[in-house]
């Protein structure tokens, strides 16, 4: 009799332990559903979750599209302006002029080509420099204006050009109206310009100079970034022993201009290669 009572007591104790464990499990599960304050969390159906995710994806894609569209639009307009400016290579320098037949001075040239695309620039290099705040060297882009001092020590803007290429090391090439060469492509490493460089300004982000005239996008800019050249271009066949410097000197041009109109990324040329020369 006593043995049966002991067995019954043990069974009761074991049953109680099982019940406590089950209650703990149910309580943990309940906490997962309700949260710490016993307030039921809102349920999100599969369809609502999918809809929420879809909205997030669409918003991100719209942002990305806008971001890249803005970048591409800037590049296309810059390419168009540069290509249009390249059409006037070798047009002579004429002080106070902005006429493709009679000549340009430096600010007349930048004013003329930007006006074609709906941007009204001040007429002098100094005024253009004052209109566009200087940007950081690492932010320089194709299509920006670059400003120079006519005298080494004055630090007063007296010359302006348009950036056509930016290198990884921060150096750049620019098209401008040179007193001695007319419209030509220069390099920031040339001693004269390196000593007189002041800084750069951005026209394409400045709404104050943009007129109501729609921006003209040329077919040349859409087909690539190679510059448009004038009808006076002729072909030179590279001979054994030729260098870009020798060819440029022989044809009264510059290495920078040769590389620009031929799309060359280095000074390396090969025998038999055809080069365009203005």
């Amino acid at each position: 009799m006593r043995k049966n009572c002991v067995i019954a007591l043990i069974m009761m104790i074991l049953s109680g332990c099982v019940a406590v464990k089950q209650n703990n499990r149910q309580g943990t599960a309940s906490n997962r559903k309700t949260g710490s304050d016993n307030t039921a969390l809102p349920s999100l159906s599969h369809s609502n979750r999918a809809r929420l995710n879809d909205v997030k994806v669409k918003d991100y894609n719209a942002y990305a599209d806008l971001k890249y569209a803005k970048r591409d639009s800037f590049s296309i307009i810059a390419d168009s302006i540069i290509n249009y400016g390249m059409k006037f290579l070798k047009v002579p320098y004429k002080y106070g002029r902005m006429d493709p037949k009679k000549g340009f001075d430096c600010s007349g040239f930048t004013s003329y080509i930007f006006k074609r695309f709906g941007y009204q620039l001040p007429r002098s290099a100094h005024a253009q420099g004052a209109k566009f705040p200087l940007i950081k060297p690492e932010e320089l882009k194709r299509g920006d204006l670059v400003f120079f001092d006519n005298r080494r020590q004055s630090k007063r803007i007296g010359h302006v050009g348009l950036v056509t290429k930016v290198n990884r090391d921060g150096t750049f090439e620019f098209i401008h109206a040179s007193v001695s060469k007319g419209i030509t492509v220069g390099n920031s490493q040339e001693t004269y310009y390196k000593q007189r460089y002041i800084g750069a300004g951005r026209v394409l982000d400045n709404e104050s100079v943009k007129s109501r005239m729609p921006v003209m996008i040329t077919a040349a800019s859409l087909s690539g970034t190679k510059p448009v050249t004038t009808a006076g271009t002729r072909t030179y066949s590279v001979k054994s022993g030729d260098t870009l410097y020798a060819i440029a000197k022989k044809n009264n041009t510059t290495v920078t201009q040769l590389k620009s109109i031929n799309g060359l990324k280095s000074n390396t040329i090969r025998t038999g290669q055809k080069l365009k020369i203005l």
Side-chain angles (χ1 to χ4, degrees), residues 163-199:
V163 177
T164 59
K165 180 181 179 182
V166 180
N167 302 311
R168 290 184 178 181
D169 61 359
T171 59
F172 57 87
E173 295 177 9
F174 61 102
I175 185 171
H176 64 123
S178 163
V179 174
S180 59
K181 299 176 182 176
I183 304 302
T184 186
V185 176
N187 191 297
S188 62
Q189 291 301 95
E190 294 175 35
T191 302
Y192 181 87
Y193 296 109
K194 187 175 183 179
Q195 292 176 343
R196 290 164 174 78
Y197 181 59
I198 293 177

Side-chain angles (χ1 to χ4, degrees), residues 13-39:
I13 293 172
L14 292 174
S15 298
C17 290
V18 171
V20 169
K21 287 183 179 180
Q22 288 178 343
N23 288 336
N24 286 340
R25 289 174 182 171
Q26 290 174 355
T28 302
S30 177
N31 288 340
R32 288 173 184 166
K33 292 181 180 179
T34 61
S36 59
D37 61 353
N38 292 327
T39 303

Side-chain angles (χ1 to χ4, degrees), residues 6 19 25 36 73 75 98 102 122 142 156 166 200 206 242:
V6 171
R25 289 174 182 171
S36 59
S73 175
S75 298
M98 50 184 300
K102 296 182 179 180
R142 286 163 48 85
R156 177 181 172 83
V166 180
N206 195 313
D242 271 345

Side-chain angles (χ1 to χ4, degrees), residues 63-128:
Y63 168 76
D65 288 344
L66 181 62
K67 180 181 178 181
Y68 286 111
K70 184 176 181 180
R71 182 197 67 182
D72 292 343
S73 175
F74 185 101
S75 298
I76 290 173
I77 296 172
D79 287 344
S80 297
I81 293 172
I82 292 168
N83 288 340
Y84 183 63
M86 288 288 187
K87 293 177 67 175
F88 304 107
L89 286 171
K90 287 201 171 181
V91 170
Y93 179 92
K94 292 291 182 182
Y95 178 76
R97 292 277 191 176
M98 50 184 300
D99 186 330
K101 294 182 179 179
K102 296 182 179 180
F104 297 100
D105 62 13
C106 65
S107 58
F109 175 65
T110 52
S111 295
Y112 185 85
I113 58 177
F114 272 99
K115 184 177 181 179
R116 182 67 179 265
F117 293 84
Y119 294 88
Q120 300 288 342
L121 271 59
R123 183 57 185 85
S124 71
H126 181 75
Q128 289 180 14

Side-chain angles (χ1 to χ4, degrees), residues 44-65:
L44 188 62
S45 68
H46 177 74
S47 60
N48 286 339
R49 187 178 293 109
R51 190 175 297 112
L52 180 62
N53 290 336
D54 184 53
V55 169
K56 288 181 179 178
V57 170
K58 285 181 179 178
D59 286 348
Y60 175 78
N61 287 341
Y63 168 76
D65 288 344

